[in-house]
Structures are given as C-alpha cells and as structure tokens.
Amino acid sequence: MPAWLSHFTTTYLMWNEGPMIWASDVLILLTSLGIVVALTRLHRWKWLWREWLTTVDHKKIGIMYLIAALLMLFRGGVDALLLRTQLAVPGNHFLSAEHYDQIFTTHGTIMILFMAMPFIFALFNIVVPLQIGARDVAFPYLNAISFWLFFFGAMLFNISFVFGGSPDAGWVSYPPLSELGFDFGPGENYYLLAVQISGIGSIATGINFLATIFKMRAPGMKLMRMPLFTWSVVAASVVIIFAFPALAIALALLTLDRVVGTHFFTILHGGDPMMFVNLFWVWGHPEVYIVILPAFGIYSEVVATFARKRVFGYSSMVLSLMLISVISYFVWAHHFFTMGAGAGVNTFFAVASMLVAIPTGVKVFNWLFTMFRGRIRLTLPMLWTIAFVPCFAIGGATGVMLAAAPADYQYHNSYFLIAHFHQVLIGGVVFGMLAGMYYWWPKMFGFMLDVRLGKIAFWLFNIGFYVCFMPQYALGFMGMQRRMYTYPTDMGWGTLNFISTVGAYIMGLGFLFIVIQVLYSIKHGERDKTGDPWDARTLEWSLPSPAPHYNFAVIPTVTERDMWWELKERQETDLLKLKPEMIKPIHMPKNSGRPFLLGLSFFVAGFGLVFGWIPIAVIGLIGILLCLLFRAFEYGDEHTVPIDEIRETEAALGRL
Amino acid sequence: MREKIKKRRIRLGLLGASAITLLLSGCGPQYMVLDPVGPVGKEELHLILLSVILTAIVIIPVLGLLVFIVWRYRDKPGNRAPYLPKWSESRVLEVVWWGIPIVIVGILGYFTGKTTFALVRPPENNIPPITVDVTSLDWKWLFQYPGQKIATVNYAVIPTGVPINFVLTSDAPMNSFWVPQLGGQEYTMPGMAMRLWLQANQAGTFYGHGANFTGRGFAHMNFNVIAKPADQFYGWVRSVKATSSPLTYAVYDQLKKPSVIGTTQYSSIPPNLFNGTVWADGGRYMPGMLPAQSMSTMKQSSSH
C-alpha cells in the first residue's frame, strides 16, 4: 500500500482500530447500497425528491423527524448497550478507554440533541397546525430548512465514527479538556459544528411554532381554549428561543478557540473556562424542560381522551407550564454546586431548583384527578402515560434530593445522578414521546399499531428500565463515578452493574419489539376509516386520517375547549360538515428543493471546517450564500389549490 | 454546632426512624455515602435523609392514588364507580396540592440553606486545622502539606479529629476531589485555589476518586485518605521526612506528564510550588484567588 494511502486509512478511516470500525463501514456501505438499489428498482427517485426531500408540508416534515428520531434512538441505544456491556463486570476489556470515552460522548449528544429534539419536533409538526385549525405552520419554507439543518447536523455528527474519530470530551465538552491542549483530534470539531448546525434549525423551529400558535389559530380559538399540547408547545418554544442562543454562542466561541486560535476559554491567556460551563448550562438546563414540556402536553391529551373526561384544572395546567418555563432559567448553576460558588449562590439555585417541583407536582395531581371519576381505557398511549407517573414521581423526588446543594456534594457526577436524569428523561420524555407516537400514529399514517406487540414492548421496556436504573442509585451511594470505563473488583460494584446491564438489554429488546410492531402493523394494522379512532376530543380528530395536504377544506370556527368532543356530545358534528358552496380556493406554499440544498451546503461547510480543509469549507459557504440569494429573489412561492381539486379530494375521502 | 446536630438528629429520628432503618439495613460500609466517618459527611447525610422523608410525603400518596384510581375507574362493563365527565375544577383540591409542595420546599429549602452556609466553615473551631494542598494532574493526585513540608501522590494521611483544610487546584483538565466517607466533593480547577473542609473522627482508610472526567486515565484516578490518631500522624510525617527523596521542580515536571502511577511520597516540597502552579495556570488573572503576601513572590516562581 502506498504511504499516502496507508496514512489516509489510518488517520481518517481508522482501519487500524479493529473490527468495530470495519463492521460499521460494511454496514453503512450495505445500507447505502440497499437504499440506492431499492429506489432505482422501484423507480422511486423522483417520488423521493418530489414528495419528501422538497416538501414544505408540516405533516411530512413531522414524519421525517419521527423516522430520524427513531433511527437516532437506535444509534444512541446501541451506544448505551456497548457502554453497559463494558461495565457488566469489573476489569472488563471489551472496550478500550478511548472507545468508551467516545461512545459515552456520542450516546449523550445523540440522545439529547438528535433523538429527543427531533422527536418533539416531529409531534410539534404533526399535531400543532391540526389542533389549532391551521393549514400549515407560519413559515413552511423555514420549517423545511429547520428539518434539513437538523438532518445534516445529525449526519455530520454520525459520520465522525467512521471518518476521523468521534468526540470524546463528554456531551458537556468542558474546556480545558475540550480545548486543543488536551484534545486535538477532529472529534471535538465534529461535535461543535454538528450541534451548531442543528441548533440553528432548533431556534428557527421555536420561532416558527410560537408564531404559528399566536397568529394562525382558527377563529374563536382563544388562548384559553387551546388544547394543552399546543400550550406545552408555546412553553417549550419560548424556552427554545431564549436558551438555544446561549448554546450557539458557547459552541461558536469554543470553535473559534479551536479552529482560529482565540482564547475565549483558555485561562492561560486570560480566558475563562467557567464562562463556557455557565453558557452551556444556561442552555443545558432549560433544554431538559424543552423536551419534557411537550411530553407534559401529550400526557394531558392522552389522559383526557382515555379517561373520557375533561382535563382537571385546565388553568392550573397552563399556569404550571408557563411557570416551569420561567423557573427553568434560574436553576442552571445546580449543575455545578461543587465548582466553588459561594454559599449564597448555591442556596439560591438550590431553592430555585426545588421550586420546579411545585408546578410539576401540581400537574401530576391534576392528571390523577383527570382520571378520577373517569372511565379509563388501557390503550397503548394510556399505558405509557400511566407508567410515566410513578417513574417520573420517583425521578422528581431524586431531583429534589439532588437540588439540596450540600447533599449534591455527595451525588455530583456519581451514578446517583446518572440514575436520576435517565429516570426523568426516559420516564418523562421517552415515555411521553412514545405515548404521543402511539396516540397520533393513526392520524399520521391512517392505520393503527398492533396492540399485542405494543404491550410486549411496553412491559419489556418498563421492567428493563427499573432493572437497569434502580441499581445505579445504589451504585451512587457506593461511590461509583460516572464516565469510568472500568472499575476494580474490590469495590463491590460488580453485582449491581451486572444487573443494570441485564436491564439495559431488556430495554433494548423492548425497542426491538416496537420496531417489529411498526413493521407488522404496516401490513396488518387495522385501517382507520373514521379519522377518530380513539373517540378523542380535539380538532385534529375531526379530520380524516391522514389529513389532506391542506388540512382543513374549510377552517372551523371554535366556540369552546375540547371542541370536537363537545360537538360529538351534543351530536352537532354536522356543524363541521362541508357544504360544496363553502369551499374556496386555498393558497398553499410551493415545494422547494432549496432547504435541502441549504442543509447540504451547511454539511459541506461543516465537514471542511472539522478538518480545516478550507477549499471544501468555502464551497459549502458559497452554497449557503447562493441558497439565501435565490430565496431572497423568489417572488411566487405560493400556489392555489382550485376548488375542483378540493371537492374531488374531499369526495374521495367521503366527506362531501 | 454539635448541640444543633443533636437536636436535629432527634427530630429526624422521630420523623423517619422507619425510613432510616429501611435505608441503612443491609447497607454495609460499601455504601460509603450512607456511612460517613466525619461531621461533614454526617451533616450531608442528615440532609439526604430529610429530603428522602419530605419527598416521600408526596410520592407515597401519588403512587397509592394512581393504583387506586386506575383500578377503581377502569373502563369495564358493570363498573359502578361514579363517572363525572364534566367535573374538572375544585378550588379546595387545587389549593391542597399547590400548598403541600410549597410547604415542603420551604422546609427543605431552609435546611438546605443552613447546611450550605455551615459547610463553608471549619467543622471544629477549637482545634487548629491542618492544610493540605491538592493538585489533580493527568491522571494522579498530588497532596502537599505546607505545614509539614512533605508531599504524597495518590494517598493522603490525616490526623483524626482535626479539621482538614483541603485547598484544591488542577494542573490538568478540571477534576473533582471526592472522599465519600468524609463528605462531599469540590472541583479542582486550573488557575483557582478552592477550599473544602473535611474531617475524620475515626481512624481508617477511606476511598477517594476524581469525580469529573479528564480523559483516558480518568478511571484510574483513585486514592486513599488514611486517618490516624494525631501522634501516629506526626510519626508518619517524620518517617516520610527521613526516608523519602525531595520533590523538586524537575520531579514535578515529570509528575505532570500524563501517566497512571502508584503511590509515592516526598520528604520536602519546593516553596510556592502550589501557589506558583495556581498563578501560572491563570490565577494571575484572578485577583483575590491567592493570599496577598504570596502574590509578590509569584512572578519569580512562575517564571521557572
């Protein structure tokens, strides 16, 4: 092999690192080939481009987010299993320290930024316009840009594993560990640029949905008539708009430190690493509320629907959502009680953190009392919601324990902390997203998911969860720190770690059953002909499943909360029934390939910057500029759907 | 101080004797956080137990209610439990569950604040403390005793019953200094000298480990803190002085290089090595971080 080639395969393809890299290379190659061959043989290239890559339809963008989130859940889950396998027994040599460090870094980053975020955005997109009686989001073109920035950010992050090496400084990536002095590989650059690119998309999504909800509600839908999921999106969007810029700044400054040689965070030249820690958590803590608030919204919808009862304490629910989003800005320092802040500062942030428990506790009681004197149907979305309550209650309690600053001196960075945040993020966010996925699945795809397989998945995942994470609380009390790639035999940590690993595998099996359930149901799932398979309460269920691309042929007028349910109760659903003369032409945004190309350009620019390959970066940046320029001079970006087409569509759906 | 702890202990004992026994029964000394040997760790354990009890006041009813409600109001033909689909407001109930958490957070917040302020002071005022300067390196711990003029690597010996003033810095990525049985941790950060008061009231060997990730060798950054009665402690100091080699700048520069090593000790330390390290790593940009009298000598030692 010529020297330059062996240099290339060693430095960039890392073929000297062994079978894990080779297997990934082969898998990626086979998957890509499979996709290309399938698309070619089924003549689907044009379909892919026209229907998906260029779409600005919020429902399709939502579905793409959902697919991406599930894929990333798989990737992050495989990471988790690798970590747990390494920790199953003391003194294990399954992974080296370098690999372990890379894998826990990618596990954290992927689960938070490339799994939880797209999952909530999937449901934002699919549900919000339908719930508020709108035809799309406020800025459909921007919405597509958000998706493609997320998508290419995720791609950029994921290729690091097989090209150049993954980041290994933890998902928090504190300097000085993440500065050039200690970490000169391209991995950290991948992290910075990939998260930055997808973060820009997230900010745009926050703005987009806030504008959508404030400006595009159907006539009569006052704020206090909005479904609680929509309210939770308001709360989350506000937090996104205020929190994400802090992350963008932190990442940008650290990127400058690494790529250009500035010293924002290098203390040796008068910089301040604490500034990064602060900026990171000024975003990082609100971030966990960004992902949990929509889950709260989902639970509210699911509980009301399947208890066949109005949500208990609606105003309290709204108030607590908004309170959480405000308090979320005053708790960030509880991530570093042990970094030398004074007693006054620590007390302030400790009490502020505990305050979060108040509105959260209120919500739990309100959900319980929504079920109280209701009629509870144990469907899949409801099962996940019920399982959420004890899981989140315990996770919340350990959260309050962590908030007591002096107690935190003993928990910080221990497995107690690990158990806590997995419990609230899995028991809160993942359970919520799965509940939401099951709940709105028929609305997205027009068929139901198989219940039997879903229940197997549910029980495996839940039992696995407790088996995996309860021992970790105990390990924290036993003094085990996070991010250790191995531990000695004589600490007595072996048994509990082994149990925890078994639990992780049971959870993995649960995920597998969800995949099987989806694949099975695509063929055998019951078709939803009614549009309202759950006998639900809000406007989206008044539409056929899936909804036509313009959503509402005629925008309904809203007169009360739970509009659809009330109409059904009074047997007045005819009020929403279409009459041919009511139909008018509809203006809809045109599809565009530019958001996709813009995302691609960001990817190219990011990739160039990761390795300091300036020509490639410049090509990417020119691409970005061209996309922006062409958009600036685009005048006719809307088209009109003629009356005849709407009548035909609606007649085919049996609604005329 | 002791009186207060005693009072609180009685109160806690009354409140949650059962919870405590539940927690501690079957917990051997392996559960280090639950088995503190000094006043700091004990104070933190009290707060932990208080928080367990207070949160249990909410959690247990929630779990009970959930089971009851899901069972009682399940959708089953013939279920005669009341069904009130429009009942969705109750001022009284809402006041109850806004109120109870507020009271609980109030109580826990008060004790949290109190403990937080207590822990920045030495646990004993009548006994002169001993200072140990701690430097986290890649991937080892250096302990310097400015009073005794000796140093150790990856272990520290302390006298029992004496408050120890650990002064913490890092000459590597930031780490965190944690000895669970003595008490909670504090970060070691380059360019900063942060303080952590700990004390052991019984002799023994206590496990310590870095708690903040610092790269490849991080998993091997364990050390022991060995507590001995004062006379044995000073005997140990004398034997280190008599039998070990000195820590020089040259030795320190070797020590600083990334590696995983065992334990060792040094018979003397260069003056100002610790403060010089803090100064050179960025302390010079942080006025007030170092004692004033040592500032003037800093420039010389850091120019080394």
Side-chain angles (χ1 to χ4, degrees):
Chain A
M1 200 190 289
W4 65 268
L5 190 60
S6 75
H7 172 76
F8 185 79
T9 57
T10 308
T11 314
Y12 296 107
L13 300 180
M14 305 168 293
W15 283 355
N16 55 331
E17 284 192 19
M20 239 163 55
I21 299 283
W22 307 337
S24 309
D25 284 340
V26 171
L27 275 177
I28 290 171
L29 205 71
L30 287 180
T31 317
S32 317
L33 267 178
I35 293 171
V36 170
V37 167
L39 285 171
T40 312
R41 295 201 57 174
L42 299 170
H43 305 291
R44 286 295 187 140
W45 283 105
K46 216 173 201 172
W47 165 83
L48 180 71
W49 178 257
R50 272 222 205 121
E51 297 288 315
W52 295 97
L53 302 189
T54 60
T55 189
V56 291
D57 181 344
H58 67 98
K59 299 179 288 298
K60 286 186 172 165
I61 289 175
I63 288 170
M64 291 194 288
Y65 268 122
L66 179 69
I67 295 169
L70 289 173
L71 284 174
M72 288 296 104
L73 182 58
F74 174 75
R75 157 86 211 260
V78 170
D79 282 348
L81 289 183
L82 292 173
L83 299 176
R84 282 313 321 167
T85 306
Q86 165 64 16
L87 292 177
V89 288
N92 201 357
H93 293 292
F94 172 67
L95 295 175
S96 67
E98 286 91 338
H99 281 145
Y100 188 89
D101 298 347
Q102 293 181 353
I103 293 171
F104 77 66
T105 302
T106 54
H107 168 74
T109 313
I110 283 176
M111 285 303 201
I112 294 280
L113 287 152
F114 300 124
M115 188 283 285
M117 291 303 282
F119 220 138
I120 65 164
F121 290 161
L123 297 175
F124 281 23
N125 270 287
I126 288 155
V127 180
V128 169
L130 300 180
Q131 260 192 347
I132 62 173
R135 291 199 168 114
D136 207 320
V137 296
F139 312 111
Y141 181 88
L142 183 66
N143 197 25
I145 291 178
S146 288
F147 173 76
W148 290 111
L149 288 183
F150 149 74
F151 178 85
F152 281 107
M155 280 287 129
L156 187 62
F157 190 80
N158 275 277
I159 58 161
S160 69
F161 187 69
V162 291
F163 195 86
S166 296
D168 60 358
W171 84 285
V172 296
S173 158
Y174 287 167
L177 184 63
S178 56
E179 293 261 14
L180 283 179
F182 297 98
D183 193 340
F184 39 82
E188 183 62 25
N189 293 349
Y190 268 121
Y191 165 91
L192 291 168
L193 289 154
V195 174
Q196 184 71 277
I197 289 169
S198 71
I200 298 170
S202 301
I203 295 176
T205 301
I207 294 170
N208 212 339
F209 277 85
L210 204 61
T212 304
I213 294 169
F214 282 162
K215 300 301 285 183
M216 302 192 49
R217 277 168 290 138
M221 182 172 274
K222 297 177 178 157
L223 286 176
M224 290 309 269
R225 284 180 188 162
M226 291 197 313
L228 279 168
F229 179 71
T230 299
W231 261 115
S232 75
V233 176
V234 171
S237 298
V238 169
V239 185
I240 288 173
I241 293 168
F242 283 95
F244 261 86
L247 177 71
I249 296 296
L251 296 175
L253 296 184
L254 188 53
T255 311
L256 287 176
D257 273 15
R258 289 179 61 90
V259 176
V260 185
T262 53
H263 294 286
F264 288 105
F265 304 127
T266 33
I267 194 167
L268 272 177
H269 296 83
D272 187 355
M274 271 316 285
M275 188 53 84
F276 181 88
V277 177
N278 274 293
L279 281 172
F280 185 87
W281 288 115
V282 162
W283 161 78
H285 199 85
E287 164 66 13
V288 301
Y289 296 119
I290 289 169
V291 292
I292 195 74
L293 286 168
F296 287 172
I298 292 166
Y299 296 130
S300 299
E301 301 290 330
V302 169
V303 160
T305 297
F306 295 108
R308 290 185 200 278
K309 195 159 158 277
R310 300 174 73 154
V311 158
F312 193 88
Y314 177 91
S315 330
S316 256
M317 289 298 232
V318 172
L319 177 68
S320 54
L321 282 172
M322 299 320 283
L323 267 180
I324 293 171
S325 71
V326 172
I327 301 172
S328 73
Y329 290 103
F330 299 95
V331 302
W332 82 88
H334 72 212
H335 292 270
F336 43 94
F337 280 144
T338 54
M339 281 190 179
V345 172
N346 275 0
T347 305
F348 173 85
F349 282 99
V351 174
S353 306
M354 291 173 195
L355 286 180
V356 178
I358 298 169
T360 313
V362 166
K363 295 191 81 67
V364 172
F365 280 109
N366 278 337
W367 287 315
L368 286 177
F369 275 76
T370 303
M371 292 190 263
F372 183 70
R373 294 180 180 162
R375 277 293 174 271
I376 301 166
R377 288 176 287 163
L378 293 177
T379 56
L380 288 177
M382 192 61 174
L383 277 178
W384 286 97
T385 302
I386 291 171
F388 144 82
V389 173
C391 201
F392 199 76
I394 299 168
T398 54
V400 172
M401 291 168 69
L402 277 153
D408 178 75
Y409 302 163
Q410 287 282 35
Y411 305 132
H412 182 81
N413 275 354
S414 77
Y415 263 82
F416 187 91
L417 169 78
I418 305 301
H420 159 73
F421 74 68
H422 281 94
Q423 184 148 26
V424 282
L425 283 173
I426 295 176
V429 180
V430 176
F431 283 21
M433 292 307 125
L434 289 174
M437 181 185 85
Y438 283 121
Y439 184 57
W440 282 298
W441 188 277
K443 189 51 60 191
M444 289 182 243
F445 299 104
F447 66 89
M448 312 286 283
L449 287 170
D450 185 75
V451 176
R452 198 173 41 94
L453 288 166
K455 282 192 176 165
I456 298 174
F458 169 80
W459 285 110
L460 283 173
F461 203 87
N462 266 274
I463 293 168
F465 174 83
Y466 288 97
V467 175
C468 182
F469 290 105
M470 292 305 111
Q472 295 187 9
Y473 282 117
L475 283 168
F477 285 126
M478 294 171 88
M480 183 166 170
Q481 299 83 24
R482 72 195 297 193
R483 294 176 176 158
M484 297 176 88
Y485 81 98
T486 189
Y487 54 92
T489 313
D490 57 1
M491 299 306 297
W493 300 338
T495 318
L496 287 173
N497 268 301
F498 188 79
I499 295 172
S500 178
T501 302
V502 171
Y505 274 91
I506 300 176
M507 288 172 81
L509 212 57
F511 178 78
L512 211 62
F513 268 91
I514 294 178
V515 175
I516 296 171
Q517 178 195 21
V518 169
L519 296 178
Y520 175 86
S521 308
I522 288 175
K523 223 175 148 76
H524 305 283
E526 187 193 326
R527 305 292 123 170
D528 169 33
K529 299 260 187 328
T530 61
D532 185 17
W534 308 116
D535 193 9
R537 315 177 71 82
T538 40
L539 275 183
E540 72 268 33
W541 303 104
S542 69
L543 293 171
S545 306
H549 70 96
Y550 47 77
N551 297 351
F552 295 88
V554 173
I555 303 285
T557 302
V558 177
T559 51
E560 57 222 298
R561 218 180 278 160
D562 288 346
M563 178 75 179
W564 179 237
W565 175 263
E566 296 296 334
L567 289 180
K568 286 192 288 190
E569 283 286 283
R570 297 203 300 259
Q571 301 186 330
E572 285 174 3
T573 47
D574 281 358
L575 283 179
L576 293 186
K577 212 166 153 70
L578 291 175
K579 291 169 201 80
E581 68 276 11
M582 291 159 70
I583 294 174
K584 296 197 173 74
I586 297 172
H587 292 284
M588 293 299 286
K590 269 188 197 159
N591 281 1
S592 168
R594 235 176 287 113
F596 176 82
L597 295 175
L598 184 69
L600 186 64
S601 306
F602 265 98
F603 176 87
V604 173
F607 185 78
L609 283 175
V610 165
F611 294 95
W613 294 340
I614 300 305
I616 295 182
V618 169
I619 291 171
L621 290 171
I622 290 173
I624 295 169
L625 257 173
L626 285 179
C627 287
L628 296 179
L629 267 177
F630 278 107
R631 172 62 177 175
F633 292 102
E634 183 179 34
Y635 294 105
D637 62 345
E638 280 189 353
H639 68 110
T640 306
V641 187
I643 294 177
D644 289 342
E645 189 189 324
I646 304 167
R647 284 192 182 153
E648 256 168 55
T649 313
E650 294 292 318
L653 290 164
R655 294 167 66 83
L656 255 186
Chain B
M1 192 83 209
R2 278 232 168 107
E3 271 310 301
K4 275 186 203 160
I5 291 175
K6 227 175 229 169
K7 261 190 210 159
R8 195 179 305 165
R9 189 175 298 162
I10 292 164
R11 234 186 347 239
L12 276 173
L14 287 173
L15 253 169
S18 57
I20 295 167
T21 29
L22 249 174
L23 248 173
L24 296 183
S25 66
C27 295
Q30 277 176 341
Y31 288 84
M32 295 183 254
V33 172
L34 305 178
D35 188 27
V37 297
V40 175
K42 284 196 174 134
E43 189 128 347
E44 285 160 353
L45 180 60
H46 290 147
L47 194 64
I48 289 173
L49 295 174
L50 179 70
S51 66
V52 170
I53 292 161
L54 287 175
T55 49
I57 293 174
V58 178
I59 298 310
I60 292 170
V62 164
L63 299 183
L65 266 175
L66 178 71
V67 173
F68 166 74
I69 289 172
V70 171
W71 176 253
R72 179 95 167 89
Y73 298 99
R74 70 202 184 283
D75 188 30
K76 211 185 104 188
N79 186 351
R80 279 192 278 173
Y83 172 49
L84 300 174
K86 288 194 189 300
W87 181 68
S88 62
E89 300 287 338
S90 161
R91 182 67 54 88
V92 179
L93 284 173
E94 296 235 42
V95 167
V96 169
W97 58 65
W98 277 98
I100 292 174
I102 290 176
V103 172
I104 288 177
V105 166
I107 298 170
L108 188 59
Y110 169 75
F111 284 105
T112 298
K114 217 172 132 179
T115 314
T116 310
F117 279 91
L119 290 183
V120 295
R121 294 188 296 268
E124 302 270 359
N125 286 324
N126 305 326
I127 306 168
I130 281 184
T131 297
V132 180
D133 292 331
V134 182
T135 312
S136 66
L137 301 167
D138 267 346
W139 290 283
K140 57 195 84 75
W141 293 90
L142 172 66
F143 299 92
Q144 299 178 62
Y145 293 71
Q148 289 67 32
K149 305 264 184 296
I150 58 164
T152 57
V153 172
N154 285 340
Y155 81 102
V157 179
I158 57 168
T160 51
V162 177
I164 313 293
N165 175 23
F166 286 102
V167 184
L168 311 167
T169 194
S170 176
D171 203 4
M174 56 175 89
N175 209 312
S176 190
F177 176 77
W178 188 27
V179 189
Q181 281 187 279
L182 296 187
Q185 62 197 284
E186 185 76 27
Y187 269 67
T188 60
M189 304 173 92
M192 311 247 260
M194 289 174 353
R195 174 174 291 187
L196 177 66
W197 287 104
L198 292 174
Q199 180 176 325
N201 280 351
Q202 67 191 63
T205 301
F206 307 112
Y207 169 84
H209 201 291
N212 190 57
F213 177 68
T214 51
R216 261 183 305 134
F218 165 71
H220 304 291
M221 286 192 73
N222 55 315
F223 57 90
N224 281 329
V225 173
I226 302 161
K228 295 179 173 185
D231 52 332
Q232 288 181 31
F233 169 75
Y234 287 105
W236 169 79
V237 171
R238 278 192 299 277
S239 79
V240 169
K241 278 189 189 292
T243 58
S244 311
S245 56
L247 174 62
T248 59
Y249 281 110
V251 173
Y252 180 75
D253 285 340
Q254 277 301 313
L255 207 54
K256 230 177 100 162
K257 288 181 182 155
S259 67
V260 174
I261 59 170
T263 59
T264 181
Q265 53 280 314
Y266 302 101
S267 61
S268 68
I269 49 176
N272 258 326
L273 171 60
F274 184 81
N275 287 343
T277 304
V278 175
W279 173 270
D281 281 347
R284 59 190 139 154
Y285 299 111
M286 306 204 162
M289 187 47 79
L290 292 167
Q293 75 273 16
S294 58
M295 295 293 264
S296 52
T297 57
M298 272 323 109
K299 275 175 190 153
Q300 295 155 290
S301 57
S302 70
S303 65
H304 152 78

